[in-house]
Amino acid sequence: MNEALFRSLTPGVLGILVRRGADFAAAEDAVQDALVEAVRVWPADPPRDPKGWLITAAWRKFLDASRAETARRRREDLVDEEPAPGPAPSADDTLQLYFLCAHPSLTPSSAVALTLRAVGGLTTRQIARAYLVPEATMAQRISRAKRTVSGVRLDRPGDVATVLRVLYLVFNEGYSGDVDLAAEAIRLTRQLAAAIDHPEVSGLLALMLLHHARRAGRTAPDGSLVPLAEQDRSRWDTRSIAEGVEILQAALARDRLGEFQAQAAIAALHADAPTAEETDWVQIVEWYDELVGLTDNPVVRLNRAVAIGEADGPRAGLAALATLDDSLPRHTAAAAYLHERAGDLTTAARLYAQAAGKAPTLPERDHLTRQAARLNARERP
């Protein structure tokens, strides 16, 4: 086939699909599918009008993909809307379903995605946002997981580590997202802690309680985000903080440290400080060191860099940040904060504005935009 012909026709075909109402990414996929079809068909039956053939084929591919996506969304909506048949059981089997969805035949990432969708109540879009992947990618992952377990008996429950990861993600979505699942995640983790004597289960429960205790202070009356250092600590739930600290201390005493215990220890140090200025940042950095050793997670390394900036000064924090991939989520926001702490307000304002453009949620974007505006106003004569 004439590769040069394909290259010359593709932009025009793509433009026509976009003008007909296809979004650019979907149009690109449709044109690529049409080109694949052309490679298969044209050698035996070359069209008299190659461009017209490609436009027709690509538009059909786009319509097929759109219908399939609409049907998928409708199936999800019907599942969400359909009431459970028969009388409701008196026993709560939600936690058992978490274990069954974490089936050994699935990879951990697929098990987490399937459980969040089937049991956790999250939409495909919310799960994709939690994983930082496109919605279509997550839809395929969940579909593959469903196909995998469709032919197996769900009588071999998954491991505790996978269930804890699911509960953690459900809590985070409920804590910061559009569906309030935080209380449900805490309830199920309490059940798990009562059923299983495991320090990481206790660590996760402590972490949830400590984060949830600060929830009332995270937003202003107008819904805008309030940074941790500026929160009204009198609004924090001291009873939940005390319970979380007690559970954490008992777990740490068993000397079987895991990532949820380390995260809870960091949260406890924040919750224990009477004021932001009295936060024990040196000890927080030490706990981040433990957490890096346990997970080697790049996001943990980013948070550690910010903690170093508080403990050893913003230049030390920027040096730690410079060793990390700048495409990491919230890397630009962290750099902006550390540059502001270092007194470089011009750079900080520019980075806050850049970070706002990458923010995953509207409240976060608005907060970063206000930070940029605040510094720009200070820079004006």
Side-chain angles (χ1 to χ4, degrees), residues 2 4 57 107 177 225 231 234 247 258 263 278 280 331 336 362:
N2 190 335
T107 64
L225 291 182
Q231 288 177 18
S234 67
I247 292 171
Q263 289 188 57
E278 295 173 86
D280 189 345
H331 185 286
L362 182 60

Side-chain angles (χ1 to χ4, degrees), residues 247-298:
I247 292 171
L248 173 63
Q249 288 174 339
L252 292 175
R254 300 177 65 176
D255 199 23
R256 289 167 55 194
L257 184 64
E259 62 173 297
F260 291 123
Q261 294 170 71
Q263 289 188 57
I266 293 169
L269 287 166
H270 284 298
D272 190 51
T275 65
E277 293 73 23
E278 295 173 86
T279 303
D280 189 345
W281 285 105
V282 172
Q283 196 173 165
I284 287 176
V285 171
E286 292 173 356
W287 277 111
Y288 271 122
D289 289 340
E290 295 280 0
L291 197 51
V292 167
L294 290 165
T295 68
D296 197 27
N297 186 305

